[in-house]
Amino acid sequence: MSDEALFWLPLAVVLSSMLPGLCIFALKEEQVLARTILNLAGILTKLGLITAMVIGVYRGHIYETRLPLMPGYDLVLHASALPILFVVLSAVLWLITTVYAIGYLEHSPGRSRFFGFFSVCVSATTGIALSGNLFTFVLFYELLTLATYPLVVHRGTQEALRAGRIYLAYTLTGGTILLVAVVWLHALVGPFDFREGGVLAAQYGEHAPTLMVIFWMMIAGLGVKAALVPLHGWLPVAMVAPAPVSALLHAVAVVKAGAFGVVRVVYDVYGITYVGELGLGQGLVWVASFTIIYGSVRALAQDKLKRLLAYSTVSQVAYIILGVGLVAPLASVGGVVHLVHQGVMKITLFFCAGNLAETLGIHRISQMNGVARRMPATMAAFTIGALGMIGVPPLAGFISKWFLGMGAMEAQQPWVLVILAASSALNAAYFLPVIFTAYFREPAQPWPLEGWPGRFETHLSLLLPALITAAMVIAFGLGASAIWSPLSWVEIVVARIYPGPSAFSGPP
């Protein structure tokens, strides 16, 4: 591959969704075909570029776009094994969510504005994934905040506007704390790029107390988007957004951007060895453990289906932080692979929640009596996603929890097994009653809304995405050892993070 291709490909991946998004803003509402063509052209272009990049990274090629923005600070987009994982996740789920959103918003106003910001949001997420340094990461991190706000307030109701204000208050405050920490760190050690194994180490030992303060400031800033307790308050409120937005926020964009930021700070800035030496990992384990239990307990008391899923996200995303904080290879595998597994499981659940709301007007669990007879395919997909979240084998969630448990023992912290077991029990306690209600209770009254006259239980563009992602939940569990599985790629990532002999083999 030519040097030009190695240089421009990361930037082309980011622009492949940004440029169609900017064009979509200029379209009129009735230009449905043009908007659909632009959306699909951008998605397919991005997937093609990413496929080429994945093959190249596996073969050892280095893709890096470096553009000077100001003295000492470059905009750097760099594709290595860890960023590729997040880029592939965002691109694949963007394709599926766009198909879903086209059907979901078929007769809604403001579609050009919605899909324009939707594409910009994906570009920001891709930029976060490919960031080659903290300077670039912060630029795209703030762009993500600005791009997602119009999606949260899309319906324009008082409730939506209030949710948008809360969302901005939380995320801008978190972004400010992150920015101050990044500026402080650069003032202390100078400009640097991310590096597998970490940049900071023994040579900065005299600054250890300051580096620990900066570390926790960055975790606090990133923890807002990652919804770590007590910084999670915006997430349940933001459930007023349309279902495709909720799916994107929970599976790909905002919460994952925060969690991915924590992963990069630990692995590529401080380095896993230095994090262990400073005792910072143990703090992450405690915060993540509390968040896992708190989110699950709050989910138990919810009647609104999307709020239940929101508190479930609070709990499940913390698994990623737990895996990172345990400072053990197997735990890292469990945490990082959960970036992908939680994404496909949670997007399945939100697709199903959207199907119930759009087809039958169902928003509450108490309205779901017997709904599986009316929408069997939707509830089958929901059941697979829910069982995956509980950790039932052989679904994707089981793979994550297995490696987290093994990692806890490897790190000599067996008490974490109690947290994982309690979490799974709580997951079952709030998901199984929903499934029981849908399958075994008699409908007590007509559905709040029954207007779908089609041949299938709902619009195919709503049904197929849920079935596809549910199939992915099964495939990622059953095919965990296959070369194409997220687990196999994560083992490559972890082999590059941990120094010395590893239990995992990397690419040639």
Side-chain angles (χ1 to χ4, degrees), residues 226 228 287-289 291-292 313-323 338:
L228 289 175
V287 171
S289 297
T291 301
I292 288 170
T313 296
V314 171
S315 173
Q316 291 280 336
V317 171
Y319 279 77
I320 301 166
I321 313 301
L322 178 69
H338 204 56

Side-chain angles (χ1 to χ4, degrees), residues 341 393-399 471-482 484-485:
H341 290 172
L395 302 175
F398 168 76
I399 303 299
M472 292 167 70
V473 174
I474 299 172
F476 290 169
L478 285 175
S481 61
W484 49 264
S485 74

Side-chain angles (χ1 to χ4, degrees), residues 367-371 373-374 437 440-447:
Q367 298 171 319
M368 292 178 64
N369 289 1
V371 75
R373 302 172 202 173
R374 169 62 181 82
T437 298
F440 296 106
R441 287 189 174 164
E442 293 293 330
Q445 56 192 8
W447 309 116

Side-chain angles (χ1 to χ4, degrees), residues 51-262:
T51 300
M53 209 157 60
V54 169
I55 295 172
V57 169
Y58 189 80
R59 292 176 175 173
H61 295 159
I62 298 174
Y63 297 90
E64 182 174 287
T65 302
R66 181 177 292 273
L67 302 172
L69 289 188
M70 58 186 190
Y73 294 92
D74 298 336
L75 186 148
V76 180
L77 299 171
H78 182 95
S80 58
L82 178 59
I84 284 291
L85 183 76
F86 196 23
V87 167
V88 172
L89 173 70
S90 65
V92 172
L93 294 189
W94 179 39
L95 168 61
I96 299 171
T97 308
T98 297
V99 172
Y100 185 88
I102 289 172
Y104 190 91
L105 300 170
E106 190 174 16
H107 303 295
S108 300
R111 283 167 291 174
S112 290
R113 182 189 65 204
F114 178 90
F115 282 106
F117 281 113
F118 203 70
S119 296
V120 174
C121 175
V122 172
S123 292
T125 304
T126 307
I128 288 171
L130 292 174
S131 292
N133 55 32
L134 274 174
F135 177 72
T136 306
F137 182 91
V138 169
L139 293 180
F140 283 106
Y141 197 75
E142 294 308 317
L143 175 61
L144 180 64
T145 299
L146 299 177
T148 45
Y149 170 76
L151 299 176
V152 173
V153 302
H154 177 73
R155 296 191 191 282
T157 63
Q158 288 299 317
E159 188 181 13
L161 294 174
R162 174 178 173 273
R165 289 193 297 272
I166 294 173
Y167 174 72
L168 274 187
Y170 270 86
T171 53
L172 289 179
T173 301
T176 301
I177 294 171
L178 175 65
L179 179 62
V180 170
V182 170
V183 170
W184 191 2
L185 182 60
H186 282 87
L188 193 67
V189 304
F192 60 88
D193 290 343
F194 290 143
R195 183 190 308 158
E196 290 175 342
V199 179
L200 308 177
Q203 62 265 35
Y204 299 111
E206 71 274 18
H207 300 304
T210 305
L211 290 174
M212 292 173 69
V213 173
I214 293 173
F215 177 85
W216 286 116
M217 287 180 66
M218 286 197 283
I219 297 303
L222 295 164
V224 172
K225 277 194 170 76
L228 289 175
V229 176
L231 309 171
H232 67 288
W234 63 272
L235 190 58
V237 179
M239 288 306 93
V240 68
V245 177
S246 300
L248 194 72
L249 294 181
H250 288 252
V252 184
V254 180
V255 294
K256 287 297 173 59
F260 185 73
V262 174

